[in-house]
Amino acid sequence: MQLSYCTNVHPAEDLDGVIRQLREYAGPIRRRAGLDVLGVGLWLPAGLASRLAGSAADVALLREVLSEQGLQIHTLNAFPYGGFHNEVVKRDVYQPTWAQRERLQYTLECANVLAALLPEGMPGSISTLPLAWRDPWTGDDDESATTAFVELSEGLRTLKERTGKTVRIAVEPEPGCVLDTVSDVTAWLAARIPRGIDSDYIGLCIDTCHLAVSFADPVAAVRGVGAAGLRVVKVQASAALHVAAPSEEAARSALVAFAEPRYLHQVRELGRDGNVLMADDLPQALAELPGRGPWRVHFHMPLHVVPMLPLETTAKVLETTVDEVSSLPYGQQVHLDIETYTWSVLPGKQVDLVEGIAGEIAWAENHLLAPAPS
């Protein structure tokens, strides 16, 4: 599997900013990790995607910097449209929705840029949001989104004919969205294949933090994708925060430190009856959920860090998911992108990003990509 780390961890909204982050972070991370080549899962804000899609000279400059730093791009993150490091992001990250034309235009521009940056013979992937936040979402919105994905399929086929490059879109389920779980995305896409969504170009991104928060069985989730005639295009390697006994005083005290104002931190509680209770953000969970069962919190935790109890992470869900995806007939073609964008809002002392991300890469190579012992 092609390993990369996602650059949405770095605040950069223009070409100069992206070039700076590649030189100040991605290149040094590659050297710190001891790699000849490092994959970067590039996040392109909408304005920059539009600029690059219309400028061969700017693409050439970006390609030159990537080569200079020993970096390679095979996947993009096109979930956040822009402003991902604003003081408050929360639900703004789900705008524009797939019912709005801006989302389709942005995604096609990203696809054109990625096709120009891909190494020869390598397919590309682009992760995108699961339609919208769940409310408001109407039947008309759903029809507009279906039409957009049909047009997207046509655009990606045309791109392949024009450039010879295959670029696939990976729909990424997230708690609280219209398509909340892997099974939601699977069902929505499969039902629309007869209407023109092309499963050769449209598939799934499994973010393993989101998967863990939903308390879904990762093996069943992956197998359900294939059973529906769809493809896992990308895995976002991420780990959620897990608390076994959230009603205990020590656990609640530890959780309060993660209730920061920038990002949305959805929480799910597994009830004793197997039902999953939900809260849209951590402060709401602390105020309203009973805490009689374990919690999982949508807070991307560094992969290689083992927190002190009562806090844990869901790194094992990530390992199980990657193991199952690797066993698919096309498993080695799935892109594996480390996505820990929360370094700047982690409680406690700030960590050196080069050191931290290099540590995640080493962990991923040892736990996700290393051959299993015979």
Side-chain angles (χ1 to χ4, degrees):
M1 299 174 77
Q2 294 286 331
L3 179 66
S4 57
Y5 91 91
C6 184
T7 66
N8 66 355
V9 64
H10 307 303
E13 297 278 335
D14 56 22
L15 183 58
D16 288 343
V18 168
I19 289 173
R20 186 165 55 251
Q21 75 185 20
L22 296 177
R23 287 175 169 157
E24 293 183 2
Y25 292 104
I29 288 166
R30 177 189 65 78
R31 294 189 288 274
R32 179 66 183 84
L35 300 175
D36 293 331
V37 178
L38 172 64
V40 287
L42 198 61
W43 172 54
L44 294 179
L48 179 54
S50 179
R51 172 179 169 175
L52 290 170
S55 173
D58 285 340
V59 170
L61 173 59
L62 182 55
R63 192 186 299 114
E64 179 182 327
V65 175
L66 290 165
S67 176
E68 160 202 304
Q69 295 297 320
L71 306 172
Q72 175 179 284
I73 292 180
H74 49 270
T75 187
L76 299 183
N77 187 327
F79 195 127
Y81 190 79
F84 193 57
H85 289 267
N86 288 348
E87 188 173 336
V88 178
V89 177
K90 298 292 183 179
R91 296 186 192 178
D92 288 348
V93 77
Y94 310 112
Q95 295 292 333
T97 75
W98 269 105
Q100 298 168 273
R101 299 296 295 180
E102 299 97 318
R103 177 61 62 173
L104 174 62
Q105 178 180 346
Y106 167 50
T107 307
L108 285 171
E109 286 171 344
C110 284
N112 277 275
V113 174
L114 180 56
L117 295 172
L118 281 171
E120 284 301 320
M122 182 179 292
S125 65
I126 301 175
S127 47
T128 188
L129 81 163
L131 304 186
W133 186 252
R134 67 179 183 275
D135 182 35
W137 187 255
T138 67
D140 287 343
D141 291 333
D142 206 83
E143 282 300 308
S144 296
T146 300
T147 299
F149 272 93
V150 172
E151 290 185 40
L152 179 61
S153 298
E154 295 168 353
L156 295 172
R157 283 194 296 267
T158 300
L159 181 66
K160 173 68 178 293
E161 292 167 1
R162 179 169 57 84
T163 67
K165 304 290 183 68
T166 298
V167 174
R168 297 186 174 98
I169 303 302
V171 182
E172 177 189 333
E174 179 169 320
C177 290
V178 176
L179 304 178
D180 185 298
T181 65
V182 171
S183 60
D184 289 341
V185 176
T186 300
W188 193 87
L189 289 177
R192 287 155 181 79
I193 291 174
R195 297 181 60 180
I197 289 182
D198 191 336
S199 59
D200 286 340
Y201 292 95
I202 313 291
L204 280 84
C205 171
I206 299 181
D207 182 302
T208 54
C209 172
H210 303 173
L211 177 67
V213 168
S214 74
F215 284 99
D217 175 359
V219 173
V222 172
R223 292 180 180 177
V225 174
L230 295 164
R231 181 186 187 106
V232 178
V233 173
K234 178 176 179 177
V235 172
Q236 280 181 181
S238 54
L241 188 62
H242 178 94
V243 182
S247 62
E248 294 182 358
E249 185 176 345
R252 294 184 70 82
S253 177
L255 282 166
V256 165
F258 288 84
E260 56 82 31
R262 179 173 296 164
Y263 299 114
L264 201 63
H265 300 296
Q266 302 94 313
V267 181
R268 299 294 182 264
E269 176 177 328
L270 184 62
R272 294 172 184 173
D273 58 0
N275 289 324
V276 177
L277 307 177
M278 59 179 283
D280 287 339
D281 207 353
L282 183 52
Q284 179 194 356
L286 289 165
E288 298 177 8
L289 290 183
R292 290 189 287 268
W295 283 9
R296 287 181 177 171
V297 183
H298 177 216
F299 196 112
H300 287 222
M301 299 293 289
L303 303 184
H304 63 306
V305 173
V306 179
M308 293 181 61
L309 292 173
L311 303 180
E312 303 173 73
T313 79
T314 60
K316 283 295 180 186
V317 173
L318 166 58
E319 293 183 60
T320 301
T321 303
V322 171
D323 187 56
E324 186 63 27
V325 169
S326 296
S327 71
L328 297 170
Y330 58 85
Q332 298 311 305
Q333 300 173 35
V334 176
H335 296 154
L336 182 63
D337 196 34
I338 297 170
E339 199 211 16
T340 307
Y341 59 83
T342 48
W343 289 96
S344 65
V345 295
L346 279 171
K349 183 180 178 181
Q350 290 302 301
V351 178
D352 177 81
L353 266 186
V354 171
E355 192 74 21
I357 295 172
E360 289 194 294
I361 291 167
W363 185 93
E365 289 184 320
N366 289 330
H367 288 79
L368 306 179
L369 301 180
S374 58

